[in-house]
Amino acid sequence: MGSDHYFSATPASAENLRTIRVRLAGTDLEVTTAGGVFSPDRLDAGTAVLLANMPPVPPGGHFLDLGSGWGPISLTMAMASPHATVWAVDVNERALDLVRRNAEAFGLTNVNAVLPDDVPDDVSFRTIRSNPPIRVGKNILHDMLERWIPRLDERSDAWLVVQRNLGADSLQRWLAATFASGYSVHRTATGKGYRVIKVRRHDTPPTEPIALA
């Protein structure tokens, strides 16, 4: 792929559309992927760990898949919660086209595959689920998370999966320090060399503990 990366806005590599079989939301599916996007030949191991270890999505509201790739997280959330609106956000135009193509193939009308700046400013999220693009570099990754995590609704969670040897533990420490007020950060699962990190946004002001007599 040369200098072409899955986080390129417009990949220069050949598209090479292909079909792969995956299991999402308990259903066996044939999805369309392509060259120049993240993990085009299979369901990425980290995404599989996240999908296996995250709770059911809420019954409605706005959901965010940050760094959607060809869409396994977005498709899973859309199938599991048909009354919700799923925002599949990526900078890679080819990836967004694949999300739209796959959502249409499965009759999922509740998926919006868009560039980051195309999400309306007044939208807040009942949940964020993400296999974030760690390889974009620490500064860009931190900017992304500082932009989107504050858009969680109160009493809502972000679930992130990060490979241990790509800095999962240091990212967890950064999240805890950056979102120290009004949030809590915990590791909820490990598997296949990955960590699942939960960021919880609490009430404003935080709920006081109940005083027992």
Side-chain angles (χ1 to χ4, degrees), residues 155-171:
R155 301 185 301 280
S156 298
D157 305 314
W159 299 81
L160 313 174
V161 65
V162 183
Q163 197 167 353
R164 180 183 57 79
N165 63 9
L166 290 181
D169 294 341
S170 62
L171 180 64

Side-chain angles (χ1 to χ4, degrees), residues 82 86 89 96 108 125 128 202 205-206:
V86 178
V89 170
L96 295 175
L108 300 171
F125 302 104
I128 298 173
H202 298 290

Side-chain angles (χ1 to χ4, degrees), residues 199-210:
V199 182
R200 172 77 169 179
R201 182 173 185 178
H202 298 290
D203 291 339
T204 305
T207 304
E208 294 294 333
I210 298 173

Side-chain angles (χ1 to χ4, degrees), residues 2-47:
S3 60
D4 199 22
H5 300 280
Y6 66 83
F7 44 83
S8 298
T10 53
S13 59
E15 187 174 39
N16 290 333
L17 289 175
R18 66 206 74 174
T19 300
I20 62 172
R21 293 188 60 84
V22 295
R23 186 169 182 83
L24 302 175
T27 304
D28 292 319
L29 303 171
E30 288 191 351
V31 300
T32 300
T33 71
V37 303
F38 178 64
S39 193
D41 297 317
R42 62 190 179 279
L43 181 66
D44 170 70
T47 300

Side-chain angles (χ1 to χ4, degrees), residues 178-196:
T178 302
F179 299 99
S181 178
Y183 297 82
S184 57
V185 178
H186 301 286
R187 183 197 306 165
T188 63
T190 61
K192 300 180 180 178
Y194 291 85
R195 314 285 207 218
V196 177

Side-chain angles (χ1 to χ4, degrees), residues 18-189:
R18 66 206 74 174
T19 300
I20 62 172
R21 293 188 60 84
V22 295
R23 186 169 182 83
L24 302 175
T27 304
D28 292 319
L29 303 171
E30 288 191 351
V31 300
T32 300
T33 71
V37 303
F38 178 64
S39 193
D41 297 317
R42 62 190 179 279
L43 181 66
D44 170 70
T47 300
V49 168
L50 177 64
L51 293 176
N53 289 281
M54 65 185 193
V57 289
H62 293 274
F63 305 163
L64 174 63
D65 173 9
L66 183 59
S68 64
W70 53 260
I73 296 172
S74 294
L75 299 173
T76 297
M77 294 195 293
M79 288 187 288
S81 188
H83 299 294
T85 299
V86 178
W87 296 87
V89 170
D90 207 298
V91 299
N92 185 320
E93 295 273 14
R94 186 177 294 173
L96 295 175
D97 180 67
L98 291 167
V99 176
R100 297 182 193 110
R101 186 189 298 258
N102 287 318
E104 182 178 2
F106 306 133
L108 300 171
T109 60
N110 58 333
V111 178
N112 293 329
V114 298
L115 297 168
D117 289 343
D118 292 334
V119 180
D121 291 338
D122 60 350
V123 170
S124 58
F125 302 104
R126 292 288 308 280
T127 192
I128 298 173
R129 312 282 169 102
S130 178
N131 184 350
I134 296 296
R135 295 184 188 275
V136 297
K138 184 179 295 185
N139 291 338
I140 295 175
L141 176 66
H142 289 179
D143 287 346
M144 288 173 55
L145 297 175
E146 288 183 287
R147 175 178 182 177
W148 295 103
I149 287 177
R151 293 181 65 170
L152 280 169
D153 283 332
E154 293 184 355
R155 301 185 301 280
S156 298
D157 305 314
W159 299 81
L160 313 174
V161 65
V162 183
Q163 197 167 353
R164 180 183 57 79
N165 63 9
L166 290 181
D169 294 341
S170 62
L171 180 64
Q172 182 178 340
R173 290 191 293 270
W174 176 85
L175 287 165
T178 302
F179 299 99
S181 178
Y183 297 82
S184 57
V185 178
H186 301 286
R187 183 197 306 165
T188 63

